[in-house]
């Protein structure tokens, strides 16, 4: 491999805590009030807290938090998953990083 | 609502073992598929820093249970700013960390066990009194040590080995 060890590395004496935010695309199959069903290429675990970004009718980015209520695979290729969400907050204008618009 | 496309963002707690200007080695409780792109956030060098990453390699045991080691590369989508992890690493380097970072023999990010040991260069013993010309580095490391569990003067670096 040609991409390994291109830079000097520094090793933590004890592992450092961090957060990794992973975003995947989804297709809304159903959305009514505080319940939504999204088709996603990535599985979720029940109880996972998600940040849901979407575009409203005006092209504005909105975001809300949601909790995964169920996740079931959809047969086919590529693998997809039907994720049932309970929205824990109403969608509000937001930036791409999830921060609310002031 | 007429919206049909959305994005789902998950936040995972992880642990980072080593870091360089090009990527880092982290531990995740769940395997991450190679190619996964995400935003990494950590407290580093006294401030909260972020970096877009892409998963390069994953080392998981056969049972797929328990934590796995994940090698990620930083995506240089924008210049290494003050709040980027790359910026923090480069700043520490520029502050003269080389004299503080003895050479390790160990595994690189994403090492699959085939890495060779680095050359044994003399290690600088930790000194309770910092040299005057390294005050800036030491203050950085002290603040970093408070923010995260340890990346201090006794952290180590490894020179680039021969390409495989």
């Amino acid at each position: 491999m040609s991409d390994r060890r291109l830079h000097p590395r520094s090793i933590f004496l004890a592992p450092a805590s961090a957060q990794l935010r992973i975003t995947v695309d989804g297709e809304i199959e159903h959305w009514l009030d505080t319940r939504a069903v999204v088709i996603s290429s990535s599985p979720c675990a029940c109880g996972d807290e998600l940040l849901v970004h979407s575009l409203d009718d005006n092209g504005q980015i909105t975001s809300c938090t949601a909790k995964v209520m169920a996740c079931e695979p959809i047969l086919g290729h590529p693998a997809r998953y039907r994720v049932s969400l309970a929205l824990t907050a109403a969608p509000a204008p937001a930036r791409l990083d999830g921060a609310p618009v002031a | 609502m007429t919206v049909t496309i959305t994005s789902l963002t998950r936040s995972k707690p992880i642990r980072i073992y080593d870091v360089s200007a090009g990527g880092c080695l982290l531990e995740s409780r769940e395997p991450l598929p190679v190619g996964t792109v995400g935003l990494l956030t950590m407290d580093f060098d006294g401030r909260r820093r972020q970096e877009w990453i892409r998963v390069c390699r994953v080392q998981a045991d056969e049972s797929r249970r328990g934590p796995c080691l994940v090698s990620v590369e930083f995506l240089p989508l924008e210049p290494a700013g003050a709040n980027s992890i790359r910026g923090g690493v480069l700043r520490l380097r520029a502050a003269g960390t080389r004299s503080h970072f003895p050479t390790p023999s160990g595994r690189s990010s994403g090492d699959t066990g085939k890495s060779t040991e680095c050359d044994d260069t003399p290690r600088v013993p930790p000194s309770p009194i910092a040299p005057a010309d390294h005050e800036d580095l030491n203050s950085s490391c002290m603040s970093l040590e408070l923010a995260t569990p340890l990346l201090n003067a006794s952290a180590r670096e490894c020179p680039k080995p021969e390409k495989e």
Side-chain angles (χ1 to χ4, degrees):
Chain A
M1 279 183 251
S2 61
D3 60 338
R4 296 180 59 182
R5 290 193 184 182
L6 297 178
H7 305 278
R9 62 196 165 97
S10 301
I11 302 173
F12 291 86
L13 296 181
S17 297
Q19 289 283 331
L20 180 60
R21 288 166 50 130
I22 298 171
T23 301
V24 296
D25 287 332
E27 180 181 342
I28 297 173
E29 184 179 74
H30 177 72
W31 188 324
L32 181 62
D33 294 333
T34 59
R35 297 284 176 172
V37 177
V38 176
I39 308 300
S40 169
S41 60
S42 176
C44 299
C46 290
D48 273 358
E49 297 277 352
L50 302 181
L51 189 63
V52 181
H53 280 102
S54 55
L55 287 173
D56 64 12
D57 298 339
N58 300 321
Q60 180 92 24
I61 297 174
T62 63
S63 76
C64 61
T65 56
K67 191 171 186 176
V68 176
M69 306 304 292
C71 179
E72 58 184 16
I74 300 174
L75 295 180
H77 184 79
R80 297 197 302 168
Y81 302 85
R82 178 175 284 107
V83 183
S84 299
L85 302 173
L87 308 181
T88 54
R95 301 198 310 247
L96 280 176
D97 61 0
V101 174
Chain B
M1 182 175 283
T2 59
V3 174
T4 57
I5 300 299
T6 187
S7 66
L8 307 177
T9 301
R10 270 189 297 176
S11 186
K12 294 170 176 283
I14 57 166
R15 301 198 302 169
I16 298 181
Y17 284 94
D18 68 38
V19 65
S20 76
C24 62
L25 175 67
L26 56 88
E27 179 190 79
S28 170
R29 292 178 183 173
E30 310 164 29
L32 298 171
V34 172
T36 298
V37 173
L39 183 63
L40 179 63
T41 303
M42 69 179 298
D43 292 331
F44 181 87
D45 195 20
R47 68 170 67 186
R48 178 145 297 186
R49 298 174 183 272
Q50 292 186 326
E51 200 71 56
W52 284 98
I53 59 94
R54 177 167 55 199
V55 173
C56 302
R57 286 173 287 274
V58 180
Q59 300 175 54
D61 59 9
E62 293 180 356
S63 65
R64 286 286 190 179
R65 292 179 180 176
C68 59
L69 292 176
V70 180
S71 302
V72 304
E73 63 174 335
F74 296 146
L75 298 178
L77 302 180
E78 54 190 15
N83 293 325
S84 71
I85 296 176
R86 286 180 294 143
V89 173
L90 294 172
R91 201 189 77 81
L92 286 178
R93 298 288 165 201
T97 57
R98 290 190 179 277
S99 61
H100 278 275
F101 284 51
T103 302
S105 59
R107 297 152 64 110
S108 68
S109 300
D111 187 359
T112 55
K114 297 178 180 177
S115 295
T116 57
E117 290 193 350
C118 305
D119 294 335
D120 288 328
T121 56
R123 298 190 175 190
V124 179
S127 170
I129 302 175
D133 58 338
H134 292 139
E135 283 181 354
D136 181 56
L137 170 65
N138 289 332
S139 62
S140 299
C141 291
M142 287 175 65
S143 61
L144 179 62
E145 191 171 1
L146 292 175
T148 64
L150 295 177
L151 173 64
N152 59 16
S154 54
R156 301 172 293 176
E157 79 171 15
C158 181
K160 178 182 174 183
E162 295 291 331
K163 289 184 178 179
E164 296 175 4

